[in-house]
Amino acid sequence: MAQARIQIRRATSDDAAAISALTSRLALRHIVPDCSAAGAARLLASMDAAATGTRLRGDHRAWVAIDAEVHALVAILVLRPPHHLYHLFVADDWQGRGLARRLWAQARTVLLAEGVGMVTVNAARGAVPAYKKLGFHRHGQATGDNDIPSLPMQWLAADHAGGQCPRAAGPDQGDCADCPRWSAAVTERALRSTSSNRVGLGACSMYTGTTGRDRRSGGAYT
């Protein structure tokens, strides 16, 4: 099976060139068409190998998915402090195979173990449905920061306590249908921290596209 070829591991600065190539290629296809010329230039500059390496050597944490058969990097997820989903990109050929969900599960497990109760993301227009399937919900009005349109969204651990999302009976019914259910111990730890994490988390001007059933979203942005 193709999934057996995939190895997920933490990224290092040695991955900077490959990450830059993937994110830049997907941004050109899926994000740049919605940007102004100035916004597109700023976006692509933030994704070059030098900028990517600086983030990886700094305080950003990242996970990559590697196709072991051809030794190619096919997906990337980056977290920016304190708890912001900065990048989530999946190569076009691998979209729809659950790689975004697997990367998000890796990052989320680490965050919940640290007691994090909320994660934010600024989603590209085409990525919103896919983020909803990962358990994120709209949080604020669409913006055009840096001439790049995005929609602020957030994921709350409290929404997934007890095996049933309380939003399921509301207007966002079905958004969380595929969300994994966390163990009582992990959920309890996350819930204890939610109140302290709800405030003070500024949004960045970063897109994040993802995989899933909506294949219009190829990548992410800051």
Side-chain angles (χ1 to χ4, degrees):
M1 294 177 60
Q3 285 288 355
R5 293 163 39 183
I6 295 297
Q7 298 175 353
I8 293 178
R9 60 168 174 79
R10 287 290 295 267
T12 72
S13 58
D14 291 337
D15 297 309
I19 292 171
S20 174
L22 176 68
T23 57
S24 298
R25 181 173 69 251
L26 291 170
L28 281 168
R29 179 173 180 180
H30 299 284
I31 300 176
V32 165
D34 287 335
C35 301
S36 69
R42 191 175 298 112
L43 169 63
L44 294 174
S46 74
M47 293 177 173
D48 68 23
T52 300
T54 297
R55 286 192 293 270
L56 293 175
R57 288 188 295 272
D59 54 5
H60 289 57
R61 294 187 285 182
W63 289 260
V64 292
I66 305 295
D67 181 347
E69 186 171 290
V70 295
H71 305 288
L73 189 150
V74 296
I76 172 71
L77 181 149
V78 181
L79 293 175
R80 189 193 70 180
H83 315 300
H84 185 83
L85 183 50
Y86 181 80
H87 275 339
L88 181 52
F89 282 98
V90 177
D92 287 329
D93 291 346
W94 280 90
Q95 290 191 17
R97 305 194 200 184
L99 288 192
R101 190 177 298 280
R102 288 178 63 183
L103 286 170
W104 168 233
Q106 291 278 332
R108 184 181 53 201
T109 298
V110 171
L111 292 171
L112 285 175
E114 295 172 350
V116 173
M118 181 177 77
V119 180
T120 58
V121 67
N122 286 351
R125 290 171 176 170
V128 171
Y131 276 112
K132 285 185 175 181
K133 292 188 179 299
L134 293 180
F136 286 80
H137 297 275
R138 179 171 179 164
H139 185 66
Q141 299 300 312
T143 68
D145 293 345
N146 294 333
D147 301 313
I148 306 166
S150 64
L151 180 69
M153 302 182 76
Q154 66 179 10
W155 180 91
L156 296 175
D159 283 350
H160 306 274
Q164 174 62 45
C165 176
R167 299 177 188 268
D172 289 331
Q173 182 177 3
D175 287 353
C176 297
D178 298 325
C179 288
R181 305 308 185 188
W182 296 97
S183 69
V186 172
T187 300
E188 181 181 358
R189 182 164 59 248
L191 288 174
R192 286 199 301 268
S193 71
T194 300
S195 59
S196 63
N197 284 312
R198 281 180 183 269
V199 296
L201 297 182
C204 78
S205 57
M206 174 167 194
Y207 273 113
T208 305
T210 184
T211 187
R213 297 172 193 169
D214 187 337
R215 298 196 180 192
R216 292 173 300 168
S217 57
Y221 164 45
T222 166

